[in-house]
Amino acid sequence: MSGRPEHQAPPEIFYGEDEARKYTRNTRMMEIQLVMSERAVELLCLPENQPCHIIDLGCGSGLSGETLTEQGHVWTGVDISSAMLGVAKEREVEGDLLLGDLGQGLPFRAGAFDGAISISALQWLCNADQKSHNPAKRLYTFFSSLYGCLSRGSRAVFQFYPENSSQVELITSQAMKAGFTGGLVVDYPNSTKAKKFFLCLMTGGQQPLPTALGVDSREDAPNCVTFSQK
């Protein structure tokens, strides 16, 4: 268990000055982040050749934001680690940056964004880092505020590292309660190394989930788990 960063310290402490710089200088980490960011943007199904305004949730030092910039989009990043945002500023990323705790909700106007991405951040919200923290309440506050600031018909895509199935259930139940439909896409489900979980949330009613990568289309059903409003 201790190998998981979220079990070692709260994110704003774990990603202090040293870790923030180390994370951004690690070429392997940067490559993984790039691949996951590109996949998350692909799963957003944005209109072609049209710049969109995307929110990057848990944006860190701006690695995923760079993917958005390269694809012609405008973005706003939110992160709880001031050290990570400091590195993002040093790197002169194109996005607007905001220091904030996702579990306290997002302070944006209704319909401000055309989509949302998040890389490796969602599982942190399942932790109770303070006595006052209730993970289910924090997830609901986060998802409700996200639902509010997304334009109708848009999507939010979260790459995350679930610890177990009950954590997936906790996250998806709070997302549904906040109004989202969608489901889980598991890329390369048979590979220990390449397996990646993407939670695809939709604001405009149930839509077909994208096909997972690395699966035979005839057997992809277990790798795309859909949920909808009761």
Side-chain angles (χ1 to χ4, degrees), residues 15-92:
Y15 289 111
E17 293 288 343
D18 292 345
E19 192 66 27
R21 292 184 189 288
K22 193 166 70 177
Y23 191 92
T24 312
R25 287 178 184 150
N26 184 324
T27 49
R28 181 178 161 274
M29 196 77 80
M30 290 173 79
E31 177 59 32
I32 292 169
Q33 188 93 357
L34 174 67
V35 171
M36 294 192 301
S37 301
E38 288 178 341
R39 177 60 171 153
V41 177
E42 181 186 336
L43 291 169
L44 281 181
C45 299
L46 298 168
E48 282 187 39
N49 305 316
Q50 187 179 315
C52 295
H53 189 189
I54 309 297
I55 183 167
D56 184 356
L57 302 156
C59 64
S61 58
L63 295 176
S64 40
E66 286 181 339
T67 298
L68 293 167
T69 300
E70 282 164 15
Q71 296 194 19
H73 303 300
V74 176
W75 60 279
T76 298
V78 182
D79 203 280
I80 198 170
S81 165
S82 54
M84 277 291 210
L85 293 177
V87 173
K89 283 178 186 168
E90 280 175 23
R91 297 173 66 243
E92 299 183 342

Side-chain angles (χ1 to χ4, degrees), residues 37-219:
S37 301
E38 288 178 341
R39 177 60 171 153
V41 177
E42 181 186 336
L43 291 169
L44 281 181
C45 299
L46 298 168
E48 282 187 39
N49 305 316
Q50 187 179 315
C52 295
H53 189 189
I54 309 297
I55 183 167
D56 184 356
L57 302 156
C59 64
S61 58
L63 295 176
S64 40
E66 286 181 339
T67 298
L68 293 167
T69 300
E70 282 164 15
Q71 296 194 19
H73 303 300
V74 176
W75 60 279
T76 298
V78 182
D79 203 280
I80 198 170
S81 165
S82 54
M84 277 291 210
L85 293 177
V87 173
K89 283 178 186 168
E90 280 175 23
R91 297 173 66 243
E92 299 183 342
V93 297
E94 300 274 330
D96 292 325
L97 303 171
L98 179 72
L99 180 68
D101 174 1
L102 300 180
Q104 292 183 355
L106 301 167
F108 302 105
R109 63 178 173 78
F113 300 100
D114 305 307
I117 65 166
S118 180
I119 307 298
S120 312
L122 188 56
Q123 67 272 6
W124 291 85
L125 284 175
C126 296
N127 270 15
D129 290 321
Q130 298 174 20
K131 280 185 180 177
S132 61
H133 282 185
N134 175 318
K137 281 186 181 173
R138 282 169 57 77
L139 281 161
Y140 177 70
T141 299
F142 164 61
F143 282 128
S144 334
S145 62
L146 175 61
Y147 190 90
C149 69
L150 287 174
S151 58
R152 292 295 76 93
S154 62
R155 296 183 178 198
V157 175
F158 297 81
Q159 177 277 323
F160 71 117
Y161 295 103
E163 192 170 343
N164 48 44
S165 56
S166 61
Q167 200 175 74
V168 173
E169 172 61 30
L170 171 67
I171 289 168
T172 54
S173 64
Q174 296 309 312
M176 285 171 61
K177 191 176 161 189
F180 286 105
T181 58
L184 203 58
V185 174
V186 185
D187 285 349
Y188 305 106
N190 302 317
S191 164
T192 313
K193 271 189 157 182
K195 186 177 185 179
K196 290 289 179 288
F197 291 82
F198 291 89
L199 177 65
C200 298
L201 301 179
M202 301 159 190
T203 60
Q206 193 62 52
Q207 303 159 41
L209 273 184
T211 305
L213 300 178
V215 295
D216 184 321
S217 58
R218 289 167 300 181
E219 57 175 49

